[in-house]
Amino acid sequence: MTTVENRDDSSTESLQGVLERIATGDRAAEAALLTRFQRGVRALVVRHCRPGDVVVDDIAQDVLSAVLVRVREGGIRDAQTFPAYLQTMIVRATTAEYRKRRARGESLPIDVADGLPDRSDPPADLDSQRMAAQLRNLIADLPVARDRALLSRFYLEEHSKEDICVSMGIADDHFHRVVHRARVRFRALLAQAGIVSLAGRDK
Amino acid sequence: MTETPTTTAMSSWLEEAWLGRYLDRALSPDERDWFEAYMLDKVHLIEQVEVDNALRDAAHAAAPLSVAPDRPAEPGAPPSRSPRRHLARVLALAASFVLGVGLTWIGFDRLPSGVPASNPTRIVYDTLRAQASPPLVERGDPQAPWIIVDIAVPSGAQILSAQAVVAGEPTMLPIPAVSSEGFATYLLPIAWQGRTKLRFDLRLHGRTEKTELELMF
């Protein structure tokens, strides 16, 4: 890596200050920390969970709560290491959740839903259905069947990029181009459909 | 890629390069951990991750995405295992499993006797997910006394009960295991075709309310 810009120095210093203030009991600083990281934490929890898992918000909240307690106690003082600590907490929490399910002999997210309180969320369900519909449109619009298969394998069957490229006989750059275009197009379709809540948070 | 401290911002083009590899799942575990820590508070990167997450969730909610190509593949494209064929193999296994369960359950005198054909007709219902669509019928051996019924179940749904109403007479069905592909599979007598309703009570995303669905086949 040769090109590094220090355009984020101010936020680094700010984060350092936020951590220090939290350790002194500053509740406003706690709010600032949560505002800064909660969206990223949720996105990564989603990333590490199975698709559509209902436990995402619980895990994200647990991670943020645990980290906040740790900062309050003065256990995390270095802003340089804070993001890595937070990321580790996310990975551990999601791993622990699925390990727990395996130990209980559960294999599907729906099993966990049994033990959770009722969390009916019609708007989120509606968004999910609309997103699925938009994805069908996107897939249907792809002119090349091979690209449709590529997207299906990558997002539905979750094959690795390498496996897909080898088995379908396509180059890395073609793979990236197809997937990248799909993301761009999908985002546009969601915007057209008025679905601005990509993560259920940013309506 | 060489790593920098997570609190030092990279140039935009380098961020894009990292993000591209991250979204393509092409980073090593160490690289992935580092980049995730790096982008945690960078909204412009998180937004793109959210789009990718939404795409993945939608793919599962809309599955099966591509039952059959409606346009021919590009000339010269190497033959590849289609997702549908893969799915069919999984479902064949699932059907075998259900048959094993079913033979203990199907102790009714109205069921046809005989060994199931190796290639019975399969009907795939995608009605319970996203948009309504007609069932997909994959013709099999017309002599087969059985029919495989695959029902795509919404992501996060739990089947609470299943019932077949054959010529007006209700019969409880065993609750099937939902496959990793999101399908519930039944092996049913061919004689039931055209005079049977299948009813399911589902629980979606932990909701206590039940949803009754009715399928004709």
Side-chain angles (χ1 to χ4, degrees), chain A residues 142-162:
Chain A
L142 287 177
V144 181
R146 188 178 59 173
D147 292 347
R148 299 170 58 180
L150 186 160
L151 286 179
S152 178
R153 285 190 187 194
F154 189 60
Y155 283 107
L156 182 59
E157 300 181 29
E158 302 197 349
H159 291 185
S160 72
K161 175 186 174 182
E162 289 74 20

Side-chain angles (χ1 to χ4, degrees), chain A residues 42-84:
Chain A
R42 189 180 190 281
L44 293 194
V45 171
V46 171
R47 196 86 185 160
H48 285 273
C49 283
R50 292 171 185 161
D53 201 324
V54 295
V55 82
V56 162
D57 286 318
D58 286 346
I59 293 178
Q61 189 169 346
D62 288 348
V63 167
L64 287 167
S65 299
V67 167
L68 200 53
V69 168
R70 187 98 172 108
V71 176
R72 277 180 194 162
E73 295 169 348
I76 309 172
R77 297 177 180 276
D78 183 2
Q80 293 281 339
T81 60
F82 179 80

Side-chain angles (χ1 to χ4, degrees), chain A residues 1-9 11-12 15 36-37 39-54 79-87 90-91 108-111 113-114 116-122 125 128-129 131-133 135-146 148-149 151-162 167-170 172 174-176 179-180 182-184 186-187 190 198-199 201-202, chain B residues 1-27 29 32-44 46-74 76-84 86-87 126 128-131 133 154-160 177-181 203-209:
Chain A
M1 181 158 308
T2 56
T3 306
V4 173
E5 296 173 1
N6 290 323
R7 58 187 162 92
D8 220 21
D9 280 353
S11 61
T12 301
L15 177 59
R36 180 168 174 168
F37 285 99
R39 185 170 175 179
V41 167
R42 189 180 190 281
L44 293 194
V45 171
V46 171
R47 196 86 185 160
H48 285 273
C49 283
R50 292 171 185 161
D53 201 324
V54 295
Q80 293 281 339
T81 60
F82 179 80
Y85 177 82
L86 191 49
Q87 191 272 345
I90 292 167
V91 174
L108 291 170
I110 57 173
D111 298 326
D114 286 342
L116 295 175
D118 182 9
R119 303 201 308 170
S120 175
D121 189 357
D125 292 344
S128 175
Q129 291 174 10
M131 282 197 299
L135 183 64
R136 286 179 188 281
N137 293 339
L138 184 152
I139 295 292
D141 286 346
L142 287 177
V144 181
R146 188 178 59 173
R148 299 170 58 180
L151 286 179
S152 178
R153 285 190 187 194
F154 189 60
Y155 283 107
L156 182 59
E157 300 181 29
E158 302 197 349
H159 291 185
S160 72
K161 175 186 174 182
E162 289 74 20
S167 64
M168 299 184 74
I170 58 175
D172 281 9
H174 178 78
F175 174 93
H176 182 74
V179 174
H180 178 71
R183 289 185 195 116
V184 172
F186 187 59
R187 181 175 193 142
L190 293 184
L198 296 177
R201 286 291 176 274
D202 303 302
Chain B
M1 293 189 190
T2 309
E3 297 176 4
T4 65
T6 53
T7 49
T8 303
M10 290 185 278
S11 58
S12 296
W13 69 266
L14 203 49
E15 277 186 345
E16 285 300 316
W18 272 92
L19 181 66
R21 293 194 65 212
Y22 175 77
L23 295 179
D24 289 350
R25 302 178 215 143
L27 296 178
R32 182 208 64 190
D33 289 349
W34 178 85
F35 187 67
E36 286 186 342
Y38 172 82
M39 70 178 169
L40 259 171
D41 63 342
K42 294 175 177 61
V43 174
H44 61 290
I46 290 298
E47 279 178 344
Q48 296 188 62
V49 173
E50 287 173 344
V51 170
D52 197 66
N53 288 344
L55 194 48
R56 184 181 68 143
D57 285 351
H60 282 261
L65 289 176
S66 170
V67 172
D70 54 7
R71 277 165 277 193
E74 282 183 326
S80 62
R81 186 188 64 162
S82 75
R84 190 63 208 161
H86 169 68
L87 184 59
D126 199 18
L128 309 190
R129 283 180 180 164
Q131 295 173 311
S133 57
S155 176
Q158 181 182 16
I159 297 177
L160 300 174
V178 179
S179 73
S180 61
E181 306 272 3
R203 184 159 60 194
L204 292 169
H205 306 302
R207 270 182 284 173
T208 51
E209 64 197 75

Side-chain angles (χ1 to χ4, degrees), chain B residues 180-213:
Chain B
S180 61
E181 306 272 3
F183 280 85
T185 301
Y186 280 100
L187 191 61
L188 300 175
I190 191 74
W192 287 14
Q193 190 168 14
R195 60 192 189 107
T196 301
K197 293 178 182 178
L198 300 179
R199 291 176 177 165
F200 298 92
D201 289 333
L202 302 180
R203 184 159 60 194
L204 292 169
H205 306 302
R207 270 182 284 173
T208 51
E209 64 197 75
K210 297 180 181 180
T211 303
E212 183 172 290
L213 299 156

Side-chain angles (χ1 to χ4, degrees), chain B residues 55-133:
Chain B
L55 194 48
R56 184 181 68 143
D57 285 351
H60 282 261
L65 289 176
S66 170
V67 172
D70 54 7
R71 277 165 277 193
E74 282 183 326
S80 62
R81 186 188 64 162
S82 75
R84 190 63 208 161
R85 288 201 185 103
H86 169 68
L87 184 59
R89 273 200 288 275
V90 172
L91 293 177
L93 285 173
S96 302
F97 171 75
V98 173
L99 174 63
V101 173
L103 287 177
T104 60
W105 146 67
I106 300 177
F108 321 130
D109 53 15
R110 76 165 87 107
L111 294 176
S113 58
V115 179
S118 59
N119 183 31
T121 293
R122 169 179 282 114
I123 301 180
V124 182
Y125 286 100
D126 199 18
T127 320
L128 309 190
R129 283 180 180 164
Q131 295 173 311
S133 57

